Amino acid sequence: MLSVFTLLPCGLIAQNSPLNKVEPRQLESSLGWDDQIWGRLGKNGDRKALLKAIDHSLKYLNSSKAVQDYQNYPISGITRDRVKRSLIRFRQLVVSSRTPEQLQAAVKKEFVWYQSSGNDNLGTVAFTGYFEPIYQASRKPTAEYRYPLYRKPKNFEQWKKPHPTRSELEGNDGLKGAKSPLAGSELVWFKDRIEAYLVQVQGSAKLRLSDGKMMGIGFDGSTDYPYTSIGKELIKDGIFPPKGLTLPMVIDYLRTHPEQLQNYLPRNNRFIFFKETFGAPATGSIGVPVTAERSIATDKSILPPGALAVIQTSIPIVTQQGEMETREVSRYVLDQDTGSAIKGAGRVDIFMGTGKIAGDRAGLINHTGKLYYLLLK
């Protein structure tokens, strides 16, 4: 990986460099214009949420984990201290600014912009959304609640590689039960196999138990396989065209063709283990809570953990009439998470929050855009 921060002629991004310095004159006028902080169209702003997300990143940057993460960070000029100082100053600007114009002007004056090279070395980034679902579940198996999620086995570190496949762990029908190598490690059971699988994709969930209580669960490890997208498998099989596929479309297909569950779900051999979180909020890979629309997941092997970023892409907005409307946004975010499907400089997952509306919005995010990181001059 190169530590080059220059743009080639005609605006082309240097190959093999995940981040590249952008000259101020090359920045689009809309970058850094984030009116959601102050609110618009009768909706309250989320300044407090943004400040809380910044504080979460600062807590991480003060930790021994951050010291270790940045110790061998491969890009020259990006250090834990610089990322930390950048966040402290940006927080001051968010507090003192009264309009999107003021904040945008201050940021463009005081910060250096580094653009992600994207998936094509031209800055094109593929954006998706993720969320924390709320589902029905039971602590005990019943005739109704049959599909389990599992704790990480106590002897997991001694498992031989390659690890068992998804089919070997839960069966093609998801009901291997006592014959599974995971028997005895069940954590909760679901009515709906699709919902149980979606929790594995999202990595955390709030569960409304059959006794009326609420339970939180979160990621606690996985088998040693790459993530396989069911959506991409459906495209490969000619079920859907290559462009425009969304999560709601995938779910609708599987619900109307339940016999295909045992065909497609076993194709993703990456199997996720869970632990009870006892009321803790959804937490990202850097060990701090993630914030709706202010936290993103990226590939932490190349992009700076905890850092301040700006995303420019399209996001579904709920209108005052309760309808979904796609709107292009330029939004300040914190890089606080990662995911098994988030690889390279051209992938970003946006955390959209908890519950059904968050899930509906997250499932509709399948757009390209741009990603920038901001560091003090």
Side-chain angles (χ1 to χ4, degrees), residues 135-208:
Y135 291 139
Q136 297 281 343
S138 171
R139 288 187 184 271
K140 297 180 179 180
T142 67
E144 191 176 21
Y145 292 91
R146 302 187 298 158
Y147 299 103
L149 291 179
Y150 293 91
R151 300 179 180 88
K152 184 168 64 178
K154 293 181 179 179
N155 66 343
F156 182 65
E157 301 304 323
Q158 283 73 54
W159 279 23
K160 293 182 179 179
K161 296 182 180 180
H163 288 153
T165 64
R166 178 175 291 275
S167 180
E168 290 169 337
L169 290 175
E170 67 178 12
N172 286 345
D173 61 358
L175 297 171
K176 198 163 188 177
K179 297 180 180 179
S180 168
L182 294 173
S185 296
E186 295 89 351
L187 180 61
V188 288
W189 282 260
F190 286 71
K191 297 179 185 178
D192 187 331
R193 190 183 181 192
I194 295 176
E195 291 182 354
Y197 179 80
L198 288 174
V199 177
Q200 292 213 11
V201 174
Q202 302 300 332
S204 67
K206 293 272 193 305
L207 305 178
R208 188 171 289 108

Coordinates of all heavy atoms in Angstrom, one line a residue, residues 135-208:
Y135 N -36.9 -8.1 16.9 CA -37.7 -9.3 16.5 C -38.2 -10.0 17.7 O -37.8 -9.8 18.8 CB -36.7 -10.2 15.7 CG -36.3 -9.8 14.4 CD1 -34.9 -10.0 14.0 CD2 -37.1 -9.1 13.5 CE1 -34.5 -9.6 12.7 CE2 -36.7 -8.7 12.2 CZ -35.4 -9.0 11.8 OH -35.0 -8.5 10.6
Q136 N -39.2 -10.9 17.4 CA -39.7 -11.8 18.4 C -38.8 -13.0 18.6 O -38.3 -13.5 17.6 CB -41.1 -12.2 18.0 CG -42.2 -11.2 17.8 CD -42.7 -10.7 19.2 OE1 -42.6 -11.4 20.2 NE2 -43.4 -9.6 19.2
A137 N -38.6 -13.4 19.8 CA -37.8 -14.6 20.1 C -38.1 -15.2 21.4 O -39.0 -14.7 22.1 CB -36.3 -14.2 20.1
S138 N -37.6 -16.4 21.7 CA -37.8 -17.1 22.9 C -36.5 -17.6 23.5 O -35.6 -18.0 22.7 CB -38.8 -18.2 22.6 OG -38.9 -19.1 23.8
R139 N -36.4 -17.6 24.8 CA -35.2 -18.2 25.4 C -35.3 -19.8 25.4 O -34.3 -20.4 25.6 CB -35.1 -17.8 26.9 CG -34.7 -16.3 27.0 CD -34.4 -16.0 28.5 NE -34.1 -14.6 28.7 CZ -32.9 -14.1 28.7 NH1 -31.9 -14.9 28.4 NH2 -32.7 -12.8 28.9
K140 N -36.4 -20.3 25.1 CA -36.6 -21.8 25.0 C -37.2 -22.2 23.7 O -38.0 -21.5 23.1 CB -37.5 -22.3 26.2 CG -36.9 -22.0 27.6 CD -37.9 -22.5 28.6 CE -37.3 -22.2 30.0 NZ -38.3 -22.7 31.1
P141 N -36.8 -23.4 23.2 CA -37.4 -23.8 21.9 C -38.8 -24.3 22.2 O -39.1 -24.9 23.2 CB -36.5 -25.0 21.5 CG -36.0 -25.5 22.8 CD -35.8 -24.3 23.7
T142 N -39.7 -24.1 21.2 CA -41.1 -24.5 21.3 C -41.5 -25.0 19.9 O -40.7 -24.9 18.9 CB -42.1 -23.4 21.7 OG1 -42.1 -22.4 20.7 CG2 -41.6 -22.8 23.0
A143 N -42.7 -25.5 19.7 CA -43.1 -25.9 18.4 C -43.2 -24.6 17.5 O -43.1 -24.8 16.2 CB -44.5 -26.5 18.5
E144 N -43.3 -23.4 18.1 CA -43.4 -22.2 17.3 C -42.0 -21.6 17.1 O -41.7 -21.1 16.0 CB -44.3 -21.2 18.0 CG -44.7 -20.0 17.2 CD -45.7 -19.1 17.9 OE1 -45.7 -19.2 19.1 OE2 -46.3 -18.3 17.2
Y145 N -41.2 -21.6 18.1 CA -39.9 -21.0 18.0 C -38.9 -22.1 17.8 O -38.5 -22.8 18.8 CB -39.6 -20.2 19.3 CG -40.4 -19.0 19.5 CD1 -41.6 -19.0 20.2 CD2 -40.0 -17.8 19.0 CE1 -42.4 -17.9 20.4 CE2 -40.7 -16.6 19.2 CZ -41.9 -16.7 19.9 OH -42.7 -15.6 20.0
R146 N -38.4 -22.3 16.6 CA -37.6 -23.5 16.2 C -36.2 -23.1 15.7 O -35.3 -24.0 15.7 CB -38.3 -24.2 15.1 CG -39.7 -24.7 15.5 CD -40.3 -25.6 14.4 NE -40.4 -24.9 13.1 CZ -40.4 -25.6 11.9 NH1 -40.3 -26.9 11.9 NH2 -40.6 -24.9 10.8
Y147 N -35.9 -21.9 15.3 CA -34.7 -21.6 14.7 C -33.7 -20.9 15.6 O -34.0 -19.7 16.0 CB -34.9 -20.7 13.4 CG -35.8 -21.4 12.4 CD1 -37.2 -21.1 12.3 CD2 -35.3 -22.4 11.6 CE1 -38.0 -21.7 11.4 CE2 -36.1 -23.1 10.7 CZ -37.5 -22.7 10.6 OH -38.3 -23.4 9.7
P148 N -32.6 -21.5 16.0 CA -31.8 -20.9 17.0 C -30.7 -20.0 16.5 O -30.2 -20.1 15.4 CB -31.1 -22.1 17.7 CG -31.0 -23.1 16.6 CD -32.2 -22.9 15.7
L149 N -30.2 -19.1 17.4 CA -29.0 -18.4 17.2 C -28.1 -19.0 18.4 O -28.6 -19.4 19.4 CB -29.1 -16.9 17.4 CG -29.8 -16.1 16.3 CD1 -29.9 -14.7 16.6 CD2 -29.1 -16.4 14.9
Y150 N -26.8 -18.9 18.2 CA -25.9 -19.7 19.1 C -24.8 -18.8 19.7 O -24.4 -17.8 19.2 CB -25.1 -20.7 18.3 CG -26.0 -21.8 17.7 CD1 -26.5 -21.8 16.5 CD2 -26.2 -23.0 18.5 CE1 -27.3 -22.8 16.0 CE2 -27.0 -24.0 18.0 CZ -27.5 -23.9 16.7 OH -28.3 -25.0 16.3
R151 N -24.5 -19.2 21.0 CA -23.3 -18.6 21.6 C -22.1 -19.1 21.0 O -22.1 -20.2 20.3 CB -23.3 -19.0 23.1 CG -24.5 -18.5 23.9 CD -24.3 -19.0 25.4 NE -25.4 -18.6 26.2 CZ -26.5 -19.3 26.4 NH1 -26.6 -20.5 25.7 NH2 -27.4 -18.9 27.2
K152 N -20.9 -18.5 21.2 CA -19.7 -19.0 20.7 C -19.3 -20.2 21.6 O -19.3 -20.1 22.8 CB -18.6 -18.0 20.8 CG -17.2 -18.4 20.2 CD -16.3 -17.3 20.0 CE -15.9 -16.6 21.3 NZ -15.0 -15.5 21.1
P153 N -19.0 -21.4 21.1 CA -18.7 -22.5 21.9 C -17.4 -22.3 22.7 O -16.5 -21.6 22.3 CB -18.4 -23.6 20.8 CG -19.1 -23.2 19.6 CD -19.1 -21.7 19.6
K154 N -17.3 -22.8 23.9 CA -16.2 -22.6 24.8 C -14.9 -23.1 24.2 O -13.8 -22.6 24.5 CB -16.5 -23.3 26.1 CG -17.6 -22.7 26.9 CD -17.8 -23.3 28.3 CE -18.9 -22.7 29.0 NZ -19.2 -23.4 30.4
N155 N -15.0 -24.2 23.3 CA -13.8 -24.7 22.7 C -13.5 -24.2 21.3 O -12.8 -24.8 20.5 CB -13.9 -26.3 22.7 CG -15.0 -26.8 21.8 OD1 -15.8 -26.0 21.4 ND2 -14.9 -28.0 21.4
F156 N -14.1 -23.1 21.0 CA -14.1 -22.6 19.6 C -12.7 -22.4 19.1 O -12.3 -22.6 17.9 CB -14.9 -21.3 19.5 CG -14.9 -20.7 18.1 CD1 -15.6 -21.4 17.0 CD2 -14.3 -19.5 17.8 CE1 -15.6 -20.9 15.7 CE2 -14.3 -19.0 16.5 CZ -15.0 -19.7 15.5
E157 N -11.8 -21.9 20.0 CA -10.4 -21.6 19.6 C -9.7 -22.9 19.2 O -8.6 -22.8 18.5 CB -9.6 -20.9 20.7 CG -10.2 -19.5 21.1 CD -10.4 -18.6 20.0 OE1 -9.5 -18.6 19.1 OE2 -11.4 -17.9 19.9
Q158 N -10.2 -24.0 19.6 CA -9.5 -25.3 19.3 C -10.1 -26.0 18.0 O -9.7 -27.0 17.6 CB -9.6 -26.3 20.5 CG -8.7 -26.0 21.6 CD -9.0 -24.8 22.4 OE1 -10.2 -24.7 22.9 NE2 -8.1 -23.9 22.6
W159 N -11.2 -25.3 17.5 CA -11.8 -25.9 16.3 C -10.7 -26.0 15.1 O -10.0 -25.0 14.9 CB -12.9 -25.0 15.8 CG -14.2 -25.3 16.6 CD1 -14.4 -25.8 17.8 CD2 -15.5 -25.0 16.1 NE1 -15.7 -25.9 18.1 CE2 -16.4 -25.4 17.1 CE3 -16.1 -24.4 14.9 CZ2 -17.8 -25.2 17.0 CZ3 -17.4 -24.3 14.8 CH2 -18.3 -24.7 15.8
K160 N -10.7 -27.1 14.4 CA -9.8 -27.2 13.3 C -10.3 -26.5 12.1 O -11.5 -26.3 11.9 CB -9.7 -28.7 12.9 CG -9.0 -29.6 14.0 CD -8.9 -31.0 13.6 CE -8.1 -31.8 14.6 NZ -8.0 -33.3 14.2
K161 N -9.4 -26.0 11.3 CA -9.8 -25.3 10.0 C -9.5 -26.2 8.8 O -8.6 -27.0 8.9 CB -9.0 -24.0 9.9 CG -9.3 -23.0 11.0 CD -8.5 -21.7 10.8 CE -8.9 -20.7 11.9 NZ -8.1 -19.4 11.8
P162 N -10.4 -26.1 7.8 CA -11.5 -25.1 7.7 C -12.6 -25.5 8.7 O -12.8 -26.6 9.0 CB -12.0 -25.3 6.3 CG -11.6 -26.7 5.9 CD -10.3 -26.9 6.6
H163 N -13.3 -24.4 9.2 CA -14.4 -24.6 10.1 C -15.5 -25.4 9.4 O -15.6 -25.4 8.2 CB -14.9 -23.3 10.6 CG -13.9 -22.6 11.6 ND1 -13.9 -21.3 11.8 CD2 -13.0 -23.2 12.4 CE1 -13.0 -21.0 12.7 NE2 -12.4 -22.1 13.1
P164 N -16.5 -25.9 10.2 CA -17.6 -26.5 9.6 C -18.4 -25.5 8.8 O -18.4 -24.3 9.1 CB -18.5 -27.0 10.8 CG -17.5 -27.2 11.9 CD -16.4 -26.1 11.7
T165 N -19.1 -25.9 7.7 CA -19.9 -25.0 6.9 C -21.2 -24.7 7.6 O -21.5 -25.3 8.6 CB -20.2 -25.7 5.6 OG1 -21.0 -26.8 5.8 CG2 -18.9 -26.1 4.8
R166 N -21.9 -23.7 7.1 CA -23.2 -23.4 7.6 C -24.1 -24.6 7.6 O -24.8 -24.8 8.6 CB -23.8 -22.2 6.9 CG -25.2 -21.8 7.4 CD -25.8 -20.6 6.6 NE -25.0 -19.4 7.0 CZ -25.3 -18.7 8.0 NH1 -26.3 -19.0 8.8 NH2 -24.6 -17.6 8.3
S167 N -24.1 -25.3 6.5 CA -25.0 -26.5 6.4 C -24.6 -27.5 7.5 O -25.5 -28.1 8.1 CB -24.9 -27.1 5.1 OG -25.7 -28.2 4.9
E168 N -23.3 -27.7 7.8 CA -22.9 -28.6 8.8 C -23.3 -28.2 10.2 O -23.5 -29.0 11.1 CB -21.4 -28.9 8.7 CG -21.0 -29.6 7.4 CD -19.5 -29.6 7.2 OE1 -18.8 -28.7 7.7 OE2 -19.0 -30.5 6.5
L169 N -23.3 -26.9 10.4 CA -23.7 -26.3 11.7 C -25.1 -26.3 12.0 O -25.6 -26.6 13.1 CB -23.1 -24.9 11.9 CG -21.6 -24.8 12.0 CD1 -21.1 -23.4 12.0 CD2 -21.0 -25.6 13.2
E170 N -26.0 -25.9 11.0 CA -27.4 -25.8 11.3 C -28.3 -26.6 10.4 O -29.5 -26.6 10.6 CB -27.8 -24.3 11.2 CG -27.7 -23.7 9.9 CD -28.2 -22.2 9.9 OE1 -28.4 -21.7 10.9 OE2 -28.4 -21.7 8.8
G171 N -27.7 -27.3 9.4 CA -28.5 -28.0 8.4 C -29.1 -27.1 7.3 O -29.2 -25.9 7.5
N172 N -29.3 -27.7 6.2 CA -29.9 -26.9 5.1 C -31.2 -26.2 5.5 O -31.6 -25.2 5.0 CB -30.0 -27.7 3.8 CG -28.7 -28.0 3.1 OD1 -27.7 -27.3 3.5 ND2 -28.7 -28.9 2.2
D173 N -32.0 -26.9 6.4 CA -33.3 -26.4 6.8 C -33.2 -25.6 8.0 O -34.2 -25.1 8.5 CB -34.3 -27.5 6.9 CG -33.8 -28.5 8.0 OD1 -32.8 -28.4 8.6 OD2 -34.6 -29.5 8.2
G174 N -32.0 -25.4 8.6 CA -31.8 -24.6 9.8 C -32.3 -25.3 11.1 O -32.3 -24.7 12.2
L175 N -32.6 -26.6 11.0 CA -33.1 -27.4 12.1 C -32.3 -28.6 12.5 O -32.9 -29.6 12.9 CB -34.6 -27.8 11.8 CG -35.6 -26.7 11.5 CD1 -36.9 -27.2 10.9 CD2 -35.8 -25.9 12.8
K176 N -31.0 -28.5 12.4 CA -30.2 -29.7 12.7 C -30.2 -30.0 14.2 O -30.1 -31.2 14.6 CB -28.7 -29.4 12.3 CG -27.9 -30.6 12.2 CD -26.6 -30.4 11.4 CE -25.9 -31.7 11.1 NZ -24.7 -31.5 10.3
G177 N -30.4 -29.0 15.0 CA -30.7 -29.3 16.5 C -29.6 -30.1 17.2 O -28.5 -29.7 17.2
A178 N -30.0 -31.2 17.8 CA -29.1 -32.0 18.6 C -28.0 -32.6 17.8 O -27.0 -33.0 18.4 CB -29.9 -33.1 19.3
K179 N -28.1 -32.7 16.5 CA -27.1 -33.3 15.6 C -26.0 -32.2 15.3 O -25.0 -32.6 14.6 CB -27.7 -33.9 14.4 CG -28.6 -35.1 14.7 CD -29.2 -35.6 13.4 CE -30.2 -36.8 13.7 NZ -30.7 -37.4 12.4
S180 N -26.2 -31.0 15.6 CA -25.3 -30.0 15.3 C -24.1 -30.0 16.2 O -24.2 -30.3 17.4 CB -26.0 -28.6 15.4 OG -25.0 -27.6 15.3
P181 N -22.9 -29.6 15.7 CA -21.7 -29.5 16.6 C -21.9 -28.4 17.6 O -21.2 -28.3 18.6 CB -20.6 -29.1 15.6 CG -21.1 -29.6 14.3 CD -22.6 -29.5 14.3
L182 N -23.0 -27.5 17.4 CA -23.3 -26.4 18.3 C -24.3 -26.8 19.3 O -24.7 -25.9 20.1 CB -23.7 -25.2 17.5 CG -22.7 -24.6 16.6 CD1 -23.3 -23.5 15.7 CD2 -21.5 -24.0 17.4
A183 N -24.8 -28.0 19.3 CA -25.9 -28.4 20.3 C -25.4 -28.1 21.7 O -24.3 -28.4 22.1 CB -26.2 -29.8 20.1
G184 N -26.3 -27.4 22.5 CA -26.0 -27.0 23.8 C -25.5 -25.5 23.9 O -25.4 -25.0 25.0
S185 N -25.2 -24.9 22.8 CA -24.8 -23.5 22.7 C -25.9 -22.6 22.3 O -25.6 -21.4 22.0 CB -23.5 -23.4 21.8 OG -22.4 -24.1 22.3
E186 N -27.1 -23.0 22.2 CA -28.2 -22.2 21.7 C -28.4 -21.0 22.7 O -28.4 -21.2 23.9 CB -29.5 -23.0 21.6 CG -29.5 -24.1 20.6 CD -29.0 -25.4 21.1 OE1 -28.4 -25.4 22.3 OE2 -29.1 -26.4 20.4
L187 N -28.6 -19.8 22.1 CA -28.8 -18.6 22.9 C -30.3 -18.3 23.0 O -30.9 -18.0 24.0 CB -28.0 -17.5 22.4 CG -28.1 -16.1 23.1 CD1 -27.7 -16.2 24.5 CD2 -27.3 -15.1 22.4
V188 N -31.0 -18.2 21.8 CA -32.4 -17.9 21.7 C -32.9 -18.6 20.4 O -32.1 -19.0 19.6 CB -32.7 -16.3 21.5 CG1 -32.4 -15.6 22.8 CG2 -31.8 -15.8 20.4
W189 N -34.3 -18.7 20.3 CA -34.9 -19.3 19.2 C -35.9 -18.3 18.5 O -36.5 -17.5 19.2 CB -35.7 -20.5 19.6 CG -34.8 -21.7 19.9 CD1 -34.6 -22.8 19.0 CD2 -34.1 -22.0 21.0 NE1 -33.8 -23.7 19.6 CE2 -33.4 -23.3 20.8 CE3 -33.9 -21.4 22.3 CZ2 -32.6 -23.9 21.8 CZ3 -33.1 -22.0 23.2 CH2 -32.5 -23.2 23.0
F190 N -36.0 -18.4 17.2 CA -36.9 -17.6 16.4 C -38.0 -18.4 15.8 O -37.8 -19.5 15.5 CB -36.1 -16.9 15.3 CG -35.2 -15.8 15.8 CD1 -34.1 -16.0 16.5 CD2 -35.5 -14.4 15.5 CE1 -33.2 -15.0 16.9 CE2 -34.7 -13.4 15.9 CZ -33.6 -13.7 16.7
K191 N -39.1 -17.7 15.5 CA -40.2 -18.3 14.7 C -39.8 -18.3 13.2 O -40.1 -19.3 12.5 CB -41.5 -17.4 14.8 CG -42.1 -17.3 16.1 CD -43.4 -16.4 15.9 CE -44.0 -16.1 17.2 NZ -45.2 -15.2 17.1
D192 N -39.1 -17.3 12.8 CA -38.9 -17.0 11.4 C -37.4 -17.2 11.0 O -36.5 -16.6 11.6 CB -39.3 -15.6 11.1 CG -39.3 -15.2 9.6 OD1 -38.5 -15.8 8.9 OD2 -40.1 -14.4 9.2
R193 N -37.1 -18.2 10.1 CA -35.8 -18.5 9.8 C -35.1 -17.3 9.1 O -33.9 -17.0 9.3 CB -35.7 -19.7 8.9 CG -34.2 -20.1 8.7 CD -34.1 -21.3 7.7 NE -32.7 -21.6 7.6 CZ -32.2 -22.5 6.7 NH1 -33.0 -23.0 5.8 NH2 -30.9 -22.7 6.7
I194 N -35.9 -16.5 8.3 CA -35.3 -15.3 7.6 C -34.8 -14.3 8.7 O -33.8 -13.7 8.5 CB -36.3 -14.7 6.7 CG1 -36.7 -15.7 5.5 CG2 -35.8 -13.4 6.1 CD1 -37.7 -15.2 4.6
E195 N -35.6 -14.1 9.7 CA -35.3 -13.1 10.7 C -34.0 -13.6 11.5 O -33.1 -12.8 11.8 CB -36.4 -12.9 11.7 CG -37.6 -12.2 11.1 CD -38.7 -11.9 12.1 OE1 -38.6 -12.4 13.2 OE2 -39.7 -11.2 11.7
A196 N -33.9 -14.9 11.8 CA -32.7 -15.4 12.5 C -31.5 -15.2 11.6 O -30.4 -14.8 12.1 CB -32.9 -16.9 12.8
Y197 N -31.6 -15.4 10.3 CA -30.5 -15.2 9.4 C -30.2 -13.7 9.3 O -29.0 -13.3 9.3 CB -30.9 -15.7 8.0 CG -29.7 -15.5 7.0 CD1 -28.6 -16.4 7.0 CD2 -29.8 -14.5 6.1 CE1 -27.6 -16.2 6.1 CE2 -28.7 -14.3 5.2 CZ -27.7 -15.1 5.2 OH -26.6 -14.9 4.3
L198 N -31.2 -12.8 9.2 CA -30.9 -11.4 9.1 C -30.1 -10.9 10.3 O -29.3 -9.9 10.2 CB -32.2 -10.6 8.9 CG -32.9 -10.8 7.6 CD1 -34.2 -10.1 7.5 CD2 -32.0 -10.2 6.5
V199 N -30.4 -11.4 11.5 CA -29.6 -11.0 12.7 C -28.1 -11.3 12.5 O -27.2 -10.6 12.8 CB -30.1 -11.7 14.0 CG1 -29.3 -11.3 15.2 CG2 -31.6 -11.3 14.2
Q200 N -27.9 -12.5 11.8 CA -26.5 -12.8 11.5 C -25.8 -11.8 10.6 O -24.7 -11.5 10.6 CB -26.4 -14.2 10.9 CG -26.7 -15.3 11.9 CD -25.9 -16.6 11.7 OE1 -25.0 -16.6 10.9 NE2 -26.3 -17.6 12.4
V201 N -26.6 -11.3 9.6 CA -26.1 -10.3 8.7 C -25.9 -9.0 9.4 O -24.9 -8.3 9.1 CB -27.1 -10.2 7.5 CG1 -26.7 -9.0 6.6 CG2 -27.2 -11.5 6.7
Q202 N -26.8 -8.6 10.2 CA -26.7 -7.3 10.9 C -25.7 -7.3 12.0 O -25.1 -6.2 12.3 CB -28.1 -6.8 11.3 CG -29.1 -6.7 10.3 CD -28.8 -5.7 9.2 OE1 -28.1 -4.8 9.4 NE2 -29.3 -6.0 8.0
G203 N -25.6 -8.4 12.7 CA -24.6 -8.5 13.8 C -25.1 -8.1 15.2 O -24.4 -8.4 16.2
S204 N -26.3 -7.6 15.3 CA -26.9 -7.4 16.6 C -28.4 -7.2 16.5 O -28.9 -7.1 15.4 CB -26.3 -6.1 17.2 OG -26.7 -4.9 16.5
A205 N -29.1 -7.3 17.6 CA -30.5 -7.2 17.6 C -31.1 -6.9 18.9 O -30.5 -7.2 20.0 CB -31.2 -8.4 17.0
K206 N -32.3 -6.3 19.0 CA -33.1 -6.2 20.2 C -34.2 -7.3 20.0 O -34.8 -7.4 18.9 CB -33.7 -4.9 20.3 CG -32.7 -3.8 20.6 CD -32.5 -3.6 22.1 CE -31.7 -2.3 22.4 NZ -30.5 -2.1 21.8
L207 N -34.4 -8.1 21.0 CA -35.4 -9.2 20.9 C -36.5 -9.0 21.9 O -36.3 -8.7 23.1 CB -34.7 -10.5 21.2 CG -33.5 -10.8 20.3 CD1 -32.9 -12.1 20.7 CD2 -33.9 -10.8 18.8
R208 N -37.7 -9.1 21.5 CA -38.9 -9.0 22.3 C -39.3 -10.5 22.6 O -39.8 -11.2 21.8 CB -40.1 -8.3 21.6 CG -41.3 -8.1 22.5 CD -42.3 -7.2 21.9 NE -41.8 -5.8 21.8 CZ -41.5 -5.2 20.6 NH1 -41.5 -5.8 19.5 NH2 -41.1 -3.9 20.6

